[in-house]
Amino acid sequence: MHKITYRSPANIALVKYWGKKKPQLPMNPSISMSLKNSYTETTIEPVGKTTTGISLNFVFEGKENKAFAQRIESFLSSVLPYFPFLVDYHLNISSSNSFPHSSGIASSASAMSALAMCLVRLEQQLDEPNGVFETPEQKASFIARLGSGSAARSIYGGYTLWGETPSYAKSFDEYAVDINASVHPVFQEYKDAILLVSQGVKKVSSTVGHSLMNNHPFAERRFRQAQDNITKLFSILEHGNQKAFVDIVEEEALSLHAMMMTSSPSFILMAPNTLHVIEKIREFRENTGIPACFTLDAGANVHFLYPGEHTATVEQFIQSELSPYCQDGKYILDEIGEGPEFLLNA
Ligand code: PMV
């Protein structure tokens, strides 16, 4: 059997997914931008077997990793109804990230989307039926979602929507869709500098964070806000309104953090330097008129988004004004990317 290798990107949400219901369905729709330089590469090598059940071994960055192997095993068991042939093969899986493992960048979106792309490709190579899905990407997004919600969005490049919204006719909770056809050219050249304010393990895992939205006093209002922001962001992306983009994106980041500050128990996921960076970015925007803005994941690192035409000015600003707030002065220069790439079939 052939080895299959995919490279799949991380993505950064502009309207955030936070709160879910079974089976891994979002409480509100989200829109993200897929990145280019932050990715996972995953190879699967199927070897025929006669024993029953799921069988795999997993090597992460050159080393066997039993903890990750267990997580993948339970993921593969959960997707068995969609890939019944998996019980006929032992899978040698290996994976590595382009970004340092301890950098605090969520790797589950890139990792789960890369694995989902490999599995869908394997299914095609085996001439297995793909079920009810219209395209291989649709199935890959559905499968990736079961591993990590935000991974559903990494199946496409550029801008992606996951979750049902009246603002977009073909939108689904089960898988993400490519919305690039409705995006103005000014948004197609965006960059994302990831400022590594705090490297290391996040204070709150996604699983715990999502569950804190159950019975949260502001949850219903937050889900409505996200729905409204999706509607606004669609119009902003379509018309190329960079000023309004800044407002929505920053509001979303702060709302996500506000939810965690007001949950029970409560969490402050920003670090003091997160606030310093945010202040600096707002000051920079004020002084230069460049429509650059920040967004945050559920952690202390800051994603600094800016139009590609201002790269030189912004990079100079990052180096001189923002890198002092980053751990060991580190940041990652990234940009909008084209989505998963099939690398090898050897
Ligand atoms: O995919 P998960 O379950 O790790 O959740 C990701 C949640 C955020 O990154 C905080 C927001 C998002 O929409 O990506």
Side-chain angles (χ1 to χ4, degrees), residues 67-86:
F68 285 177
Q70 253 169 18
R71 187 165 170 201
I72 294 177
E73 190 177 332
S74 65
F75 167 68
L76 291 180
S77 303
S78 74
V79 299
L80 205 50
Y82 309 100
F83 297 120
F85 60 86
L86 281 180

Side-chain angles (χ1 to χ4, degrees), residues 11-18 20 24 30-32 106 108-109 147-151 153 162 202 206-207 210 256 296-299:
N11 68 72
I12 179 67
L14 305 171
V15 172
K16 308 289 179 182
Y17 147 62
W18 202 240
K20 62 178 171 181
Q24 193 100 302
S30 55
I31 287 181
S32 64
S108 59
S148 163
S150 58
R153 300 185 308 239
W162 171 43
K202 288 181 178 179
S206 284
T207 310
H210 287 293
L256 167 69
L296 306 164
D297 266 338

Side-chain angles (χ1 to χ4, degrees), residues 18-318:
W18 202 240
K20 62 178 171 181
K21 56 193 175 210
K22 284 195 162 55
Q24 193 100 302
L25 296 170
M27 294 301 289
N28 63 258
S30 55
I31 287 181
S32 64
M33 182 199 280
S34 289
L35 300 178
K36 182 176 177 187
N37 302 328
S38 305
Y39 56 77
T40 298
E41 279 180 13
T42 297
T43 298
I44 62 170
E45 181 188 22
V47 182
K49 71 174 176 67
T50 49
T51 52
T52 54
I54 298 281
S55 167
L56 69 111
N57 74 307
F58 182 68
V59 172
F60 181 66
E61 306 203 322
K63 282 200 209 97
E64 185 141 358
N65 188 316
K66 291 243 153 62
F68 285 177
Q70 253 169 18
R71 187 165 170 201
I72 294 177
E73 190 177 332
S74 65
F75 167 68
L76 291 180
S77 303
S78 74
V79 299
L80 205 50
Y82 309 100
F83 297 120
F85 60 86
L86 281 180
V87 291
D88 299 331
Y89 298 90
H90 168 82
L91 295 181
N92 289 318
I93 308 177
S94 58
S95 190
S96 60
N97 294 337
S98 64
F99 44 89
H101 179 52
S102 59
S103 60
I105 299 186
S107 57
S108 59
S110 53
M112 286 301 174
S113 58
L115 184 55
M117 291 300 287
C118 288
L119 293 173
V120 168
R121 184 101 189 180
L122 176 61
E123 174 185 75
Q124 285 176 321
Q125 288 187 359
L126 294 170
D127 267 335
E128 295 283 340
N130 89 343
V132 296
F133 298 94
E134 285 167 18
T135 62
E137 287 76 19
Q138 196 178 79
K139 180 158 187 178
S141 179
F142 177 95
I143 296 294
R145 183 198 103 229
L146 296 171
S148 163
S150 58
R153 300 185 308 239
S154 279
I155 298 299
Y156 300 101
Y159 295 87
T160 305
L161 164 72
W162 171 43
E164 268 176 55
T165 164
S167 309
Y168 200 82
K170 290 208 155 214
S171 58
F172 309 92
D173 282 349
E174 288 78 13
Y175 43 83
V177 293
D178 177 338
I179 56 167
N180 291 291
S182 4
V183 175
H184 191 280
V186 298
F187 287 117
Q188 315 238 346
E189 298 285 314
Y190 259 57
K191 303 234 169 174
D192 177 11
I194 309 167
L195 304 156
L196 303 175
V197 167
S198 168
Q199 301 170 42
V201 180
K202 288 181 178 179
K203 275 196 206 162
V204 175
S205 70
S206 284
T207 310
V208 172
H210 287 293
S211 72
L212 288 172
M213 291 300 281
N214 301 331
N215 306 316
H216 190 296
F218 308 135
E220 281 312 316
R221 190 61 194 87
R222 160 60 199 155
F223 301 143
R224 281 213 310 279
Q225 178 196 37
Q227 279 284 4
D228 291 348
N229 281 346
I230 286 279
T231 306
K232 289 180 191 160
L233 188 57
F234 262 113
S235 156
I236 289 165
L237 289 174
E238 196 182 334
H239 296 103
N241 186 344
Q242 293 175 303
K243 160 90 184 56
F245 179 86
V246 163
D247 292 341
I248 293 276
V249 168
E250 293 193 350
E251 177 187 306
E252 276 292 314
L254 296 176
S255 288
L256 167 69
H257 280 250
M259 288 299 110
M260 292 298 92
M261 285 182 191
T262 50
S263 63
S264 176
S266 62
F267 289 95
I268 300 174
L269 303 179
M270 293 188 211
N273 281 347
T274 311
L275 286 174
H276 282 300
V277 168
I278 288 176
E279 288 292 318
K280 283 274 175 196
I281 289 174
R282 289 189 158 176
E283 225 175 82
F284 173 79
R285 184 166 68 234
E286 204 75 340
N287 294 341
T288 61
I290 294 174
C293 62
F294 68 85
T295 187
L296 306 164
D297 266 338
N301 294 333
V302 181
H303 288 250
F304 184 19
L305 305 177
Y306 53 96
E309 62 182 303
H310 298 294
T311 300
T313 318
V314 173
E315 285 187 5
Q316 202 175 13
F317 164 69
I318 294 171

